Amino acid sequence: MSPPSSSSSQQTTLRIGIIGFGPFAQFLAKTLMKQGHFISATSRSDYSDLCTNLGILFFRDIGAFLESDNDIIMISTSILSLSRVVESIPFHCLKRPTLFIDVLSVKEHPKDVLLRILPEECDLLCTHPMFGPESGKDGWTDLTFMYDMVRIRDQHLCSSFLQIFSTEGCKMLEMTCEEHDRLAARSQFLTHTIGRILVEMEVESTPIDTKGFQKLVQVKESSAKDSFDLFSGLFIHNRFARQQMKNLEVAIEKLQERSKELQDPIISKL
Amino acid sequence: MSPPSSSSSQQTTLRIGIIGFGPFAQFLAKTLMKQGHFISATSRSDYSDLCTNLGILFFRDIGAFLESDNDIIMISTSILSLSRVVESIPFHCLKRPTLFIDVLSVKEHPKDVLLRILPEECDLLCTHPMFGPESGKDGWTDLTFMYDMVRIRDQHLCSSFLQIFSTEGCKMLEMTCEEHDRLAARSQFLTHTIGRILVEMEVESTPIDTKGFQKLVQVKESSAKDSFDLFSGLFIHNRFARQQMKNLEVAIEKLQERSKELQDPIISKL
């Protein structure tokens, strides 16, 4: 029954335990399993039946989960619940130094929390697979996998994990958590913000859609599938997000001011 | 030299005069000519050389333009300059009742202005070809052509004009100017607003773009190609636009409020 632990063979079979088994973790787990890794999971909700069907060992008790001896523990909670979950982990149950990996959509926050709370002997890899069940449904080729080797001493174990994503064809992008959050505020967070605004405005297709508007409807529909918790997490726990929100408000004010200036008919062209 | 005037043959050759010969009119003129219609133009700027190259008769003097005897006069000014231009047309130079057509991106405003100023014996067709040089560069198949037969007595002449667009495969959509503006505020104007906001924020691609963000970059680049005058015209002269702008601001406020409520860690999920 017991699968081999990490070894120095070309394709190492890893024992990966997942904390937080929501839709994103389930999506990742399918590919991890396809590649032959041994997966276990624990979560606040009971995913016993789902895990049984997938061939994943599910633990209701996080202590028993930690004692089951994983090479890697992947943290896939919501951004908002991360601190509380990590603070509740009974690290004394770990049998040996373990590589902790998070897959959250903000990076400085989990890095800070985990560096503060993880046992010193545990390694830490912060990652952001920049895709999900929708964008990654036809495979992961050319989709971006960002990572920051925050505290890595077991290079081989870390490489074995990264290899999972490079094998699938991901664009592997090493950058600091800070640089990620700075860029993500300007791109991913802004997209979620616009999408949420369009959800709030109840934007719908019309009989006179332009091509540009059709793209906005797609952005809105994609946001509507994500939880509001995700948006809030991106907003609250990326320190660059607040400035983006301000920039957005300032841009709207400027637009209206410039338009009002033009309303005074000084400028008139044929 | 003189082409035949409108007749009752299947494919009527029309004499179409265009007032306002900017990029959008030039874009439309190419297809009108391809279909064999006779095109003349006048504009505040001097397009003599461009028109000579295209085989279009260009008039610097609007009086001479009106005297040149067109079946149809198409108005393609900017939204902001419409009133001033129409007020300056020396209608006494017209030799006969003429069908006036506008192609502006708002519809109630030109309808109101033209009904107020046009000679009573002239017909009026208000239209919005909902595409342009970019979206229509590979043909007009399935692109929407909206029209409102505001005051049509010469049905044959009006049909001959509409046939130009149906022949090209456009989706022909008859609706009132009011209904157009109501729908366009929720779709086209909102798209221009978001696009202009993204221009103002100087949004650019990043190394970690998501697919959703790439769509927003496309919307931004499309807006950057349009003049700010167009945005202002859509904002000022569509009476439903101001409400959309308010809705947008309210949506942003709500987002931030809801996020702040979540920041208080009552809700915590594994």
Side-chain angles (χ1 to χ4, degrees):
Chain A
M1 274 300 282
S2 179
S5 186
S6 63
S7 74
S8 58
S9 70
Q10 189 62 19
Q11 171 79 29
T12 309
T13 298
L14 300 167
R15 297 176 64 100
I16 304 174
I18 302 178
I19 298 179
F21 203 62
F24 187 63
Q26 294 164 28
F27 160 74
L28 291 180
K30 280 172 196 154
T31 298
L32 303 183
M33 294 197 64
K34 187 193 75 180
Q35 288 198 11
H37 303 291
F38 181 77
I39 311 296
S40 63
T42 186
S43 203
R44 199 179 64 154
S45 305
D46 184 4
Y47 290 105
S48 305
D49 291 347
L50 176 69
C51 283
T52 303
N53 288 336
L54 293 171
I56 290 172
L57 198 56
F58 185 80
F59 293 87
R60 294 236 53 184
D61 179 64
I62 193 164
F65 167 83
L66 290 182
E67 283 168 0
S68 72
D69 194 19
N70 291 291
D71 301 309
I72 291 170
I73 288 180
M74 183 196 280
I75 297 177
S76 182
T77 63
S78 74
I79 299 169
L80 293 179
S81 66
L82 176 80
S83 292
R84 184 166 307 202
V85 171
V86 173
E87 280 163 8
S88 73
I89 297 175
F91 288 103
H92 63 272
C93 295
L94 283 173
K95 289 195 172 161
R96 57 185 168 111
T98 306
L99 169 59
F100 278 76
I101 296 172
D102 89 283
V103 293
L104 273 55
S105 297
V106 293
K107 295 271 52 76
E108 285 192 310
H109 174 61
K111 177 189 162 189
D112 294 346
V113 169
L114 288 164
L115 278 182
R116 181 163 52 81
I117 299 179
L118 276 192
E120 162 58 27
E121 67 273 19
C122 287
D123 281 4
L124 175 59
L125 176 70
C126 291
T127 79
H128 184 193
M130 304 208 56
F131 48 93
E134 191 60 33
S135 53
K137 67 175 184 287
D138 301 321
W140 298 357
T141 308
D142 292 334
L143 298 174
T144 300
F145 183 87
M146 172 274 163
Y147 64 98
D148 185 357
M149 293 162 70
V150 174
R151 185 167 76 194
I152 299 298
R153 285 152 297 195
D154 187 341
Q155 294 287 342
H156 175 71
L157 181 58
C158 180
S159 298
S160 299
F161 179 78
L162 292 175
Q163 208 187 338
I164 293 169
F165 294 86
S166 55
T167 298
E168 294 296 322
C170 287
K171 202 171 76 184
M172 304 301 286
L173 199 61
E174 186 174 5
M175 64 170 63
T176 64
C177 292
E178 178 180 343
E179 182 62 6
H180 170 278
D181 283 4
R182 190 189 301 276
L183 292 172
R186 280 162 43 193
S187 54
Q188 196 194 25
F189 169 68
L190 183 62
T191 310
H192 278 269
T193 304
I194 303 273
R196 276 284 145 194
I197 288 170
L198 300 175
V199 169
E200 194 72 48
M201 293 176 76
E202 298 177 355
V203 160
E204 297 291 350
S205 275
T206 72
I208 55 169
D209 286 359
T210 53
K211 282 179 189 285
F213 182 64
Q214 285 165 354
K215 291 196 181 96
L216 288 189
V217 171
Q218 287 164 12
V219 169
K220 177 233 167 186
E221 280 167 3
S222 175
S223 286
K225 281 180 200 154
D226 291 320
S227 67
F228 192 83
D229 272 25
L230 172 60
F231 170 76
S232 292
L234 295 173
F235 181 42
I236 295 167
H237 291 295
N238 179 338
R239 68 185 162 110
F240 304 102
R242 201 162 295 270
Q243 186 59 50
Q244 279 297 305
M245 193 65 98
K246 283 218 180 73
N247 294 349
L248 183 66
E249 290 174 312
V250 169
I252 293 175
E253 274 170 37
K254 276 195 191 163
L255 272 195
Q256 296 188 67
E257 276 168 26
R258 257 179 93 185
S259 288
K260 274 171 199 155
E261 285 164 19
L262 285 175
Q263 198 160 11
D264 182 31
I266 298 160
I267 297 163
S268 160
K269 288 191 295 187
L270 180 58
Chain B
M1 278 299 283
S2 179
S5 186
S6 63
S7 74
S8 59
S9 69
Q10 188 61 20
Q11 170 81 27
T12 309
T13 298
L14 301 168
R15 297 177 63 102
I16 303 174
I18 302 177
I19 298 179
F21 203 63
F24 186 63
Q26 294 163 29
F27 161 73
L28 291 180
K30 279 170 198 156
T31 298
L32 303 183
M33 295 196 66
K34 186 192 76 181
Q35 289 198 11
H37 303 292
F38 182 76
I39 310 298
S40 63
T42 186
S43 203
R44 198 178 65 155
S45 306
D46 184 5
Y47 289 105
S48 304
D49 291 348
L50 176 70
C51 283
T52 303
N53 289 337
L54 294 171
I56 290 172
L57 199 57
F58 186 80
F59 293 87
R60 294 237 52 185
D61 179 67
I62 193 165
F65 167 83
L66 289 182
E67 282 168 0
S68 73
D69 195 19
N70 292 291
D71 302 308
I72 290 169
I73 288 181
M74 182 197 280
I75 296 177
S76 181
T77 64
S78 74
I79 299 168
L80 293 179
S81 66
L82 177 80
S83 292
R84 183 165 306 201
V85 171
V86 173
E87 280 163 8
S88 73
I89 296 175
F91 289 103
H92 63 271
C93 295
L94 283 173
K95 290 195 170 159
R96 58 185 170 107
T98 307
L99 168 58
F100 278 76
I101 296 171
D102 90 283
V103 293
L104 273 55
S105 299
V106 294
K107 296 271 48 76
E108 286 193 310
H109 174 62
K111 177 188 162 188
D112 293 347
V113 169
L114 288 164
L115 279 181
R116 180 163 53 82
I117 299 178
L118 276 191
E120 163 56 28
E121 66 273 20
C122 288
D123 282 4
L124 176 59
L125 176 69
C126 290
T127 80
H128 184 193
M130 304 208 57
F131 48 93
E134 191 59 32
S135 53
K137 68 175 185 287
D138 301 321
W140 299 356
T141 307
D142 293 334
L143 298 176
T144 301
F145 183 88
M146 172 271 161
Y147 64 99
D148 185 357
M149 294 165 69
V150 174
R151 186 167 75 194
I152 299 298
R153 285 151 298 196
D154 187 342
Q155 294 285 344
H156 176 72
L157 182 58
C158 180
S159 298
S160 299
F161 179 80
L162 292 175
Q163 209 186 340
I164 294 169
F165 294 86
S166 54
T167 299
E168 295 295 322
C170 286
K171 202 172 76 183
M172 304 301 287
L173 199 61
E174 187 173 4
M175 64 169 66
T176 64
C177 292
E178 178 180 341
E179 183 61 6
H180 170 278
D181 283 3
R182 192 189 300 275
L183 292 172
R186 279 162 42 194
S187 55
Q188 196 195 24
F189 169 68
L190 183 62
T191 310
H192 278 268
T193 304
I194 303 272
R196 277 282 145 197
I197 288 169
L198 299 176
V199 170
E200 194 73 49
M201 293 176 77
E202 299 178 354
V203 159
E204 300 289 350
S205 274
T206 71
I208 55 170
D209 286 1
T210 53
K211 282 180 188 286
F213 182 64
Q214 285 164 355
K215 292 196 180 98
L216 288 190
V217 171
Q218 288 163 12
V219 169
K220 177 233 166 185
E221 280 166 4
S222 175
S223 286
K225 283 180 197 152
D226 291 322
S227 67
F228 193 82
D229 272 24
L230 172 59
F231 171 75
S232 292
L234 295 172
F235 182 42
I236 295 167
H237 292 295
N238 179 339
R239 67 185 163 109
F240 303 101
R242 202 162 295 270
Q243 186 60 50
Q244 277 299 304
M245 192 66 96
K246 284 218 180 73
N247 294 351
L248 183 64
E249 291 173 312
V250 169
I252 293 174
E253 273 169 40
K254 276 195 193 162
L255 271 196
Q256 297 186 67
E257 276 167 28
R258 254 181 95 186
S259 287
K260 275 170 199 157
E261 285 164 19
L262 285 175
Q263 197 160 11
D264 181 31
I266 298 159
I267 296 163
S268 159
K269 287 192 295 189
L270 181 59

